[in-house]
């Protein structure tokens, strides 16, 4: 008879193995880099370009990131490992009042990536996409025009890059309530005052959502006519907070089946010293062609974080999502705890531990562990 | 004997203070603009927005061109701390986000005060900062309101 297995110890053993596998570069870096205290002068971040020295100047600003992230299965008892390699290249050019910006993304897990235009026929293990291609004209800072292929401007979609986020995984609400991409035009702008300011976006076009059928290995694309708007208030807090941004977002979709969907959401971004709080809520009313509401999708997350030292962050997140209000098993919540170590701003080493609670607590909870290494690069 | 000890202690304090003053003088900066710039005074928050590229033009239409000094220079560190109210790491993280989300690059960094002065003097929308000791008549000083 086999001795009983402690599920918690299994989780931690698997998590430890995953950590060791992916954090060995940190240990190596720590051994090679000289010891440095918090009070030491900051190291040089960007080499200063010397205007007198001849150098190759590219016509575009090129930057990007490469990321490897691994998930030690949703249920660690199965010991399944899933790994994704991904990266993006951003190419930008400023020409007077114009800014051209594009992003090409590749990923080995296309089923978890629903935005973009495929540049090559998608395969189950690889997709290469044009995620964004926009031209922006700045008439005034408060009156700008942008057109092309871009993200629907929810907070996480806009800042979702592995080199920017503190967690390995996206929140459950991301890509599951609002559509992700949009081909269209928008008017947007920012107005900053001595303290505080306001940003807005009003957009129209054709939105896109992709769904990957694992059984059929097929990709389904749903397109809708989209009209939306978002406003973000940069609230002055009389030096109580460093940042207090509150945003509201509405979107109306008209699908190919004639159904009318109404979506709305809000976001909150607060910072004070080393502490930060990020939260988003999204709700989608799925309507029939007659206008009657059929069901809704809804989700939110709350993500507090703390900068423990200049290079080390702790992050926690509570996630909740209801994919379809008609079925109880479409509801899921998740609690995450993570650490992010940035030996330099260009490198992120992340590790998360998650606890999932499916089906409104009717099914037993299970655990997951994730780690990621991200490298950001740029070439002016 | 006691008087000599007091004298030595006071001398040490004065020398230490002089050292600090010298460091502060090296670190102190002045904000400079092209002589044709319409403004004489700018608030700290406006200057922060200019260097974060949240404001891209002056009210009279000229393109705002913020210029940074080499990040290793004391004046650059002081500017980052006093005007941008952040650290080098946070600033670098901010620009990683901006490059990805908006396609906007950070201000050009020049390696010397002379290079910053030369750039500002030849570009009507330029704004930069240099150590106070390097100031001359080729550029205009912008007073910064806290």
């Amino acid at each position: 008879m086999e001795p009983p297995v402690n599920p918690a110890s299994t989780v931690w053993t698997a998590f430890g193995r995953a950590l060791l596998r992916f954090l060995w570069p940190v240990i190596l870096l720590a051994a090679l880099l000289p010891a440095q205290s918090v009070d030491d002068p900051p190291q040089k971040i960007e080499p200063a370009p010397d205007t007198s020295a001849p150098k190759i100047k590219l016509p575009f600003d090129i930057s990007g990131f490469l990321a490897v992230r691994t998930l030690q299965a949703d249920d660690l008892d199965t010991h399944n490992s899933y790994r994704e390699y991904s990266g993006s290249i951003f190419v930008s050019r400023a020409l007077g009042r114009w800014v051209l910006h594009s992003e090409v993304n590749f990923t080995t897990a296309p089923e978890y990536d629903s935005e973009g235009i495929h540049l090559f026929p998608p395969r189950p293990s690889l997709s290469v996409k044009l995620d964004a291609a926009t031209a922006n004209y700045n008439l005034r800072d408060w009156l700008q025009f942008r057109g092309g292929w871009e993200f629907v401007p929810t907070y996480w979609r806009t800042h979702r890059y592995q080199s920017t986020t503190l967690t390995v995984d996206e929140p459950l609400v991301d890509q599951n309530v609002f559509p992700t991409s949009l081909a269209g035009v928008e008017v947007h702008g920012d107005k900053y005052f001595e303290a505080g300011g306001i940003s807005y976006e009003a957009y129209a076009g054709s939105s896109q959502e992709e769904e990957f059928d694992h059984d059929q290995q097929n990709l389904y694309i749903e397109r809708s006519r989209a009209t939306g708007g978002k406003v973000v208030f940069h609230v002055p807090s009389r030096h109580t907070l460093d940042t207090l941004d509150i945003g509201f977002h509405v979107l109306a979709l008209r699908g190919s089946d004639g159904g009318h969907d109404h979506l709305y959401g809000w976001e909150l971004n607060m910072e004070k010293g080393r502490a930060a709080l990020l939260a988003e809520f999204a709700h989608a009313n799925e309507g029939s062609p007659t206008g009657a509401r059929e069901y809704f999708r809804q989700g939110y997350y709350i993500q507090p974080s703390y900068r423990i030292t200049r290079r080390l962050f702790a992050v926690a997140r509570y996630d909740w999502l209801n994919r379809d209000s008609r079925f109880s098993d479409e509801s899921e919540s998740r609690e995450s705890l993570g650490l992010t170590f940035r030996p330099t701003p260009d490198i992120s080493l992340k590790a998360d531990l998650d606890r999932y609670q499916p089906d409104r607590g009717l099914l037993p909870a299970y655990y997951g562990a994730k780690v990621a290494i991200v490298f950001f690069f740029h070439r002016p | 004997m006691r008087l000599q000890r007091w004298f030595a202690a006071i001398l040490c304090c004065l020398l230490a203070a002089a050292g600090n003053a010298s460091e502060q003088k090296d670190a102190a900066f002045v904000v400079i603009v092209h002589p044709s710039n319409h403004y004489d005074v700018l608030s700290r928050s406006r200057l922060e927005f200019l260097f974060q590229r949240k404001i891209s033009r002056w009210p009279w239409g000229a393109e705002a061109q913020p210029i940074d000094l080499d990040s290793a220079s004391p004046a650059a560190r002081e500017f980052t701390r006093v005007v941008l109210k952040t650290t080098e790491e946070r600033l670098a993280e901010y620009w990683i986000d901006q490059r990805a989300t908006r396609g906007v690059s950070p201000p050009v960094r020049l390696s010397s005060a002379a290079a910053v002065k030369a750039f500002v003097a030849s570009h009507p929308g330029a704004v930069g900062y240099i150590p106070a000791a390097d100031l001359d008549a080729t550029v205009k000083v912008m007073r910064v309101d806290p």
Side-chain angles (χ1 to χ4, degrees):
Chain A
M1 183 178 163
E2 287 183 9
V5 177
N6 180 353
S9 71
T10 312
V11 168
W12 284 108
T13 309
F15 187 55
R17 270 203 301 269
L19 269 181
L20 269 180
R21 192 183 301 164
F22 278 85
L23 290 187
W24 66 265
V26 184
I27 298 163
L28 190 66
L29 269 175
L32 294 176
L33 289 173
Q36 201 167 28
S37 76
V38 174
D39 296 328
D40 281 345
Q43 66 188 67
K44 192 172 173 180
I45 305 297
E46 276 193 2
D50 186 348
T51 49
S52 61
K55 62 190 302 181
I56 300 166
K57 174 95 175 151
L58 295 175
F60 297 99
D61 184 280
I62 295 178
S63 57
F65 72 86
L66 298 168
V68 183
R69 57 180 178 170
T70 191
L71 164 70
Q72 193 66 30
D74 282 350
D75 183 346
L76 291 182
D77 286 342
T78 62
H79 297 292
N80 286 333
S81 178
Y82 151 81
R83 188 173 299 166
E84 180 203 30
Y85 299 89
S86 64
S88 279
I89 293 180
F90 308 100
V91 181
S92 308
R93 174 90 198 253
L95 291 163
R97 292 178 182 269
W98 289 92
V99 173
L100 310 176
H101 180 55
S102 63
E103 176 191 354
V104 173
N105 173 269
F106 82 89
T107 176
T108 58
E111 65 270 35
Y112 295 113
D113 184 21
S114 68
E115 73 255 339
I117 300 169
H118 291 278
L119 296 177
F120 303 101
R123 295 163 57 183
S125 58
L126 178 68
S127 75
V128 182
K129 288 179 176 180
L130 181 68
D131 267 6
T134 58
N136 189 84
Y137 183 76
N138 182 324
L139 186 62
R140 300 278 187 275
D141 286 329
W142 56 269
L143 185 59
Q144 302 183 48
F145 304 92
R146 186 159 55 211
W149 182 256
E150 58 184 320
F151 301 115
V152 171
T154 60
Y155 187 90
W156 196 274
R157 271 297 93 187
T158 308
H159 302 272
R160 79 194 196 288
Y161 304 101
Q162 281 291 315
S163 48
T164 301
T165 61
L166 292 178
T167 52
V168 178
D169 211 354
E170 292 84 15
L172 294 170
V173 70
D174 181 51
Q175 304 190 72
N176 281 313
V177 178
F178 272 79
T180 50
S181 299
L182 178 85
V185 291
E186 74 169 274
V187 181
H188 69 105
D190 311 286
K191 180 67 181 171
Y192 290 97
F193 308 103
E194 291 304 326
I198 187 167
S199 302
Y200 74 92
E201 294 177 66
Y203 58 89
S206 171
S207 70
Q208 172 178 309
E209 283 179 282
E210 282 184 9
E211 285 193 21
F212 194 85
D213 186 326
H214 289 266
D215 298 329
Q216 302 289 325
Q217 292 289 298
N218 272 339
L219 194 68
Y220 296 99
I221 298 177
E222 184 182 335
R223 292 196 172 89
S224 308
R225 275 165 49 195
T227 312
K230 182 180 177 182
V231 61
V232 178
F233 298 97
H234 311 290
V235 183
S237 62
R238 293 178 181 273
H239 307 295
T240 310
L241 297 167
D242 300 330
T243 303
L244 175 57
D245 292 347
I246 301 171
F248 302 94
H249 193 170
V250 292
L251 174 60
L253 296 176
R254 184 164 188 178
S256 51
D257 61 352
H260 293 265
D261 302 341
H262 296 280
L263 299 87
Y264 62 87
W266 57 258
E267 66 191 43
L268 172 71
N269 183 14
M270 289 168 61
E271 284 182 28
K272 172 66 177 173
R274 292 164 179 252
L277 178 70
L278 187 60
E280 257 188 291
F281 170 84
H283 180 100
N285 282 321
E286 299 283 336
S288 67
T290 60
R293 188 175 91 168
E294 292 183 333
Y295 68 98
F296 67 84
R297 288 175 283 146
Q298 196 178 62
Y300 68 88
Y301 68 87
I302 302 170
Q303 180 184 296
S305 61
Y306 189 77
R307 191 171 196 135
I308 301 167
T309 69
R310 283 194 350 233
R311 300 188 173 99
L312 184 65
F313 301 76
V315 61
R317 186 166 67 211
Y318 179 77
D319 261 303
W320 180 80
L321 175 68
N322 185 348
R323 289 185 176 86
D324 190 327
S325 60
R326 293 169 294 187
F327 309 105
S328 68
D329 61 354
E330 289 293 333
S331 172
E332 184 177 25
S333 67
R334 179 175 62 183
E335 294 133 32
S336 308
L337 275 175
L339 286 173
T340 294
F341 178 61
R342 296 183 100 159
T344 74
D346 296 337
I347 297 172
S348 293
L349 305 151
K350 307 193 244 187
D352 294 350
L353 182 63
D354 303 311
R355 178 182 181 274
Y356 295 82
Q357 181 63 68
D359 202 7
R360 295 177 181 167
L362 298 175
L363 290 173
Y366 56 89
Y367 294 85
K370 304 182 182 85
V371 288
I373 300 175
V374 192
F375 173 63
F376 184 85
F377 58 91
H378 59 86
R379 173 72 201 257
Chain B
M1 193 66 182
R2 184 176 290 178
L3 196 65
Q4 280 176 334
R5 277 189 202 156
W6 271 109
F7 180 74
I10 289 168
L11 191 62
C12 284
C13 289
L14 283 174
L15 282 172
N20 278 341
S22 164
E23 274 178 25
Q24 279 173 5
K25 191 180 173 189
D26 288 343
F29 61 85
V30 285
V31 174
I32 56 170
V33 290
H34 189 269
S36 67
N37 195 297
H38 300 191
Y39 285 154
D40 296 319
V41 185
L42 207 57
S43 69
R44 184 207 64 78
S45 61
R46 289 273 163 192
L47 197 56
E48 179 186 358
F49 293 150
L50 281 167
F51 274 82
Q52 289 176 335
R53 290 194 185 272
K54 288 178 176 174
I55 295 176
S56 65
R57 291 191 177 271
W58 297 96
W60 53 92
E63 184 187 356
Q65 292 175 287
I67 301 294
D68 259 323
L69 254 180
D70 181 0
S71 60
S73 73
R77 287 186 196 164
E78 190 69 358
F79 183 84
T80 303
R81 188 181 68 81
V82 173
V83 174
L84 305 184
K85 291 196 175 295
T86 189
T87 62
E88 282 293 328
E89 284 84 5
R90 284 177 188 246
L91 197 57
E93 290 159 12
Y94 171 79
W95 285 115
I96 285 175
D97 183 59
Q98 292 296 303
R99 279 182 195 272
T101 57
R102 290 173 59 209
V104 177
S105 307
V108 171
R109 279 193 189 275
L110 298 179
S111 56
S112 68
V116 173
K117 268 189 301 185
F119 188 94
V120 170
S122 58
H123 292 78
V127 52
Y129 56 88
I130 54 173
D134 292 317
L135 187 63
D136 63 28
T138 59
V139 290
K140 175 179 168 181
V141 175
M142 178 79 78
R143 191 160 63 80
V144 181
D145 271 354

